[in-house]
Amino acid sequence: MRATLTWVNGTTLAAVVLSAATRTRLARGPGGVLVAGGYRLRLPKQSCFTVGTVVFTKRPADWLLDPDRAELLAHETRHVAQYAVLGPFFFPLYAAASAYSYLMTGGYGCRNFFEKHAGLAAGGYHQLPLRPWASRAGAAIGRAASSASRRRGGSPSPR
């Protein structure tokens, strides 16, 4: 079903065009996923990324299809499901989520909703602390919310 939806919404067609333009070789993966091995462009920097139903990797397709990398392939396959639901809207939404993550932590993935949903560790992402200003702002917002709750007669949440 995911593969059909990504063909209908055009994201897999875009991936096949990208695959042809970058001369990557397509191999069949599990569940209708295609793996484009040998991606050579510098961007994105990750070793794998997904467009529609196609998972691009800078290494040969067999590398990603190896059972030792089942978690990474599962992570990328979760992105396929995101493309199936969001279609071409995935691109700007993912960019916004990456920008938010970078703004808050200095890393593009750890606060990115899409990467969190796909499994941070499986995708090779590490949890990063908030930037100092973001941490201070979060604490100030928490204090203000707690103070407002007390003024309304509410009780603070248990800790």
Side-chain angles (χ1 to χ4, degrees):
M1 182 63 142
R2 291 177 310 205
T4 301
L5 288 172
T6 61
W7 275 105
V8 169
N9 68 33
T11 55
T12 294
L13 178 60
V16 169
V17 170
L18 177 62
S19 175
T22 57
R23 295 189 179 120
T24 59
R25 294 183 181 228
L26 292 173
R28 290 215 176 272
V33 170
L34 299 171
V35 178
Y39 181 80
R40 292 185 226 36
L41 299 182
R42 284 194 256 179
L43 293 174
K45 291 183 178 184
Q46 292 80 1
S47 63
C48 299
F49 69 96
T50 302
V51 178
T53 312
V54 181
V55 179
F56 289 82
T57 178
K58 295 181 181 196
R59 300 185 182 194
D62 291 343
W63 174 84
L64 184 58
L65 294 169
D66 186 289
D68 288 344
R69 276 167 280 297
E71 284 188 35
L72 177 57
L73 183 57
H75 170 91
E76 296 300 334
T77 301
R78 288 183 200 102
H79 289 311
V80 172
Q82 295 166 350
Y83 274 101
V85 172
L86 296 171
F89 294 109
F90 180 85
F91 300 114
L93 293 171
Y94 185 90
S98 293
Y100 171 77
S101 181
Y102 188 81
L103 177 71
M104 299 303 283
T105 67
Y108 293 101
C110 65
R111 294 278 171 155
N112 179 325
F113 167 81
F114 299 101
E115 295 300 343
K116 287 174 88 168
H117 183 268
L120 288 175
Y125 294 98
H126 304 287
Q127 199 60 261
L128 297 173
L130 289 174
R131 292 181 189 249
W133 69 265
S135 187
R136 288 190 304 272
I141 291 169
R143 284 191 304 273
S146 178
S147 176
S149 175
R150 280 191 294 262
R151 281 194 304 268
R152 286 191 310 260
S155 60
S157 61
R159 292 185 191 223

